[in-house]
Amino acid sequence: MVRLSHAMAKVLVDAYGQQEFLRRLSDPLWFQAFGCVLGFDWHSSGVTTVVTGVLKQSLSPDVHGIAIAGGKGRKSTSAMSDIPKLAGDFGLSSAKTESLLYASKMSAKVDSAAVQDGYSLYHHAILFDERGDWAVVQQGMNAENRMARRYHWVSDSLKQQGGYVLAPHAGIICEQKTARTLDMTSKESQESQKVSLDLARGDTNNLKSSIYKLTAENTLDRWLLGGEPTKNMTGYEMPRRLDWDLFSRIYDVQPKNYEELLSMQGVGAATVRALALVSELIYGTPASWQDPVKYSFAHGGKDGVPHPVARKVYDQSIKYLEGAIDGAELEREERTAALKKLAKFSETMFPSSEGEGGEGQLS
């Protein structure tokens, strides 16, 4: 896997450039196909940790012009210490290095606090090139359903879409959608962001009063569920304890926007949820409770869940990988085996029984 990924990455970087390689890694389906070429089953969530681990061994700054920091478990936090060293090897400026550190921090913060979907991050990897362009691949696990969810980021999309708190993901892939997810990065949550910021920057005593008003007689479970107990809501009720010293610090800092508020140390899921719920129930500015997941690990029939796959776009990705394998400096047997894996993956995603033409669907 290390040898094959090294050779393919070299061809891709030489032919398309480092930035395009990072863009490809930020495409959930391309990443999945790449993992299959390296030797994984198409449906395995282990693709994430092993492929990034393999890339950490195979990518060479001297050969590919791309470095990778972070990893699984405890290694995920090593990104903050690895980035300055790797950026120094590239000769990146202090401003570029700080930007990479911020990207690593904020992508993890958003997917653990601003998108509350029940998946806890346990894997975080950031890849960047000699110009400071970057991509993040990170994964969370849901302890109840024992499923994984992978989050993809790329610096290009942030410039186009507007920062870390407005539809920032290049893609999110998971086996299934969560029934009710607090997504403060949705465009539908923009008003909630504004009110949450106003609440956090306002008098802390007024915020206390608003929260006590809601919890004095009725729990927020009743407000949110219409009196009907729902198992899916266990993680989304008002936090039983809030750090009022933190709110005092926020008041002193007076963050200029929601991203700056979220970036503050100590602001996590409980703070985000409390502000969002007060914003909705008292001030009438609802946040989005729609799961932002866009792709599935598996490919199914024509039910259109959650979204259709553009067949032409997918075919382009397959050709892109085929070209990388054909041009790689590999033995004939290795090249043939890799192409067979890719063909098998393509057949699994688009079985002939679906008919000619049209588009396949994710399930």
Side-chain angles (χ1 to χ4, degrees):
M1 293 175 76
V2 172
R3 176 178 164 80
L4 181 58
S5 63
H6 176 93
M8 288 180 64
K10 186 176 185 302
V11 172
L12 294 174
V13 168
D14 288 347
Y16 303 100
Q18 298 151 349
Q19 192 174 26
E20 179 62 19
F21 184 59
L22 294 176
R23 287 194 196 106
R24 291 289 172 169
L25 290 174
S26 72
D27 179 334
L29 294 178
W30 191 91
F31 186 96
Q32 201 76 8
F34 181 57
C36 292
V37 170
L38 296 183
F40 261 94
D41 292 331
W42 55 270
H43 64 282
S44 174
S45 63
V47 166
T48 308
T49 55
V50 175
V51 169
T52 52
V54 166
L55 287 174
K56 200 166 186 179
Q57 296 179 63
S58 65
L59 289 178
S60 168
D62 294 336
V63 176
H64 306 96
I66 294 175
I68 179 170
K72 180 181 178 181
R74 292 182 179 178
K75 289 182 180 178
S76 63
T77 59
S78 70
M80 301 306 284
S81 57
D82 292 343
I83 288 171
K85 180 181 179 302
L86 294 169
D89 293 341
F90 279 145
L92 291 174
S93 66
S94 57
K96 287 280 190 181
T97 302
E98 286 300 320
S99 177
L100 290 169
L101 288 167
Y102 186 74
S104 178
K105 167 190 168 183
M106 284 303 293
S107 57
K109 191 72 168 287
V110 166
D111 288 336
S112 59
V115 178
Q116 299 186 27
D117 52 12
Y119 290 77
S120 299
L121 292 183
Y122 69 95
H123 174 275
H124 170 87
I126 180 169
L127 303 95
F128 59 93
D129 64 20
E130 51 200 7
R131 289 178 300 276
D133 298 312
W134 55 267
V136 166
V137 178
Q138 55 192 9
Q139 185 157 288
M141 182 68 72
N142 186 306
E144 292 186 6
N145 62 24
R146 301 183 65 81
M147 289 183 179
R149 173 169 292 202
R150 189 170 70 235
Y151 309 83
H152 290 259
W153 297 67
V154 68
S155 50
D156 280 1
S157 65
L158 287 188
K159 296 171 187 174
Q160 297 167 5
Q161 298 179 42
Y164 289 85
V165 292
L166 183 58
H169 296 93
I172 305 175
I173 186 169
C174 186
E175 186 77 14
Q176 66 181 28
K177 285 197 168 192
T178 302
R180 199 162 164 85
T181 293
L182 175 60
D183 180 14
M184 289 300 293
T185 69
S186 169
K187 292 180 180 179
E188 297 176 3
S189 296
Q190 284 182 275
E191 286 303 313
S192 180
Q193 285 187 12
K194 292 176 183 176
V195 175
S196 293
L197 180 64
D198 288 341
L199 287 168
R201 295 193 302 193
D203 190 323
T204 304
N205 290 325
N206 290 341
L207 180 60
K208 278 185 181 180
S209 175
S210 296
I211 289 177
Y212 291 154
K213 185 188 299 183
L214 290 172
T215 57
E217 296 180 0
N218 300 296
T219 67
L220 284 193
D221 291 345
R222 179 175 175 184
W223 284 83
L224 292 171
L225 305 177
E228 296 296 326
T230 302
K231 212 161 129 186
N232 290 331
M233 289 299 297
T234 51
Y236 303 114
E237 73 274 9
M238 177 67 78
R240 301 311 181 202
R241 292 184 60 188
L242 289 170
D243 184 353
W244 293 110
D245 289 336
L246 170 62
F247 283 102
S248 296
R249 293 197 300 275
I250 295 171
Y251 176 79
D252 291 338
V253 171
Q254 291 290 297
K256 64 178 181 292
N257 54 41
Y258 192 77
E259 182 177 318
E260 187 175 326
L261 169 64
L262 188 64
S263 72
M264 290 183 62
Q265 185 174 358
V267 175
T271 305
V272 168
R273 187 164 66 251
L275 291 171
L277 295 180
V278 172
S279 170
E280 178 170 356
L281 297 177
I282 292 185
Y283 296 95
T285 51
S288 170
W289 288 86
Q290 297 297 314
D291 193 340
V293 71
K294 295 178 182 178
Y295 306 97
S296 170
F297 288 119
H299 182 271
K302 295 185 176 291
D303 54 0
V305 179
H307 292 296
V309 179
R311 178 65 185 263
K312 290 182 180 178
V313 174
Y314 207 94
D315 284 344
Q316 288 173 357
S317 294
I318 296 295
K319 289 179 181 178
Y320 187 92
L321 284 164
E322 285 176 344
I325 296 168
D326 283 336
E329 296 178 0
L330 298 168
E331 296 294 333
R332 185 174 182 276
E333 291 78 8
E334 292 176 302
R335 188 181 293 111
T336 300
L339 287 170
K340 284 182 178 179
K341 291 172 188 173
L342 182 60
K344 183 178 180 181
F345 173 72
S346 181
E347 290 170 3
T348 303
M349 295 297 285
F350 297 105
S352 58
S353 59
E354 288 189 5
E356 297 299 325
E359 293 180 342
Q361 310 289 329
L362 285 176
S363 70

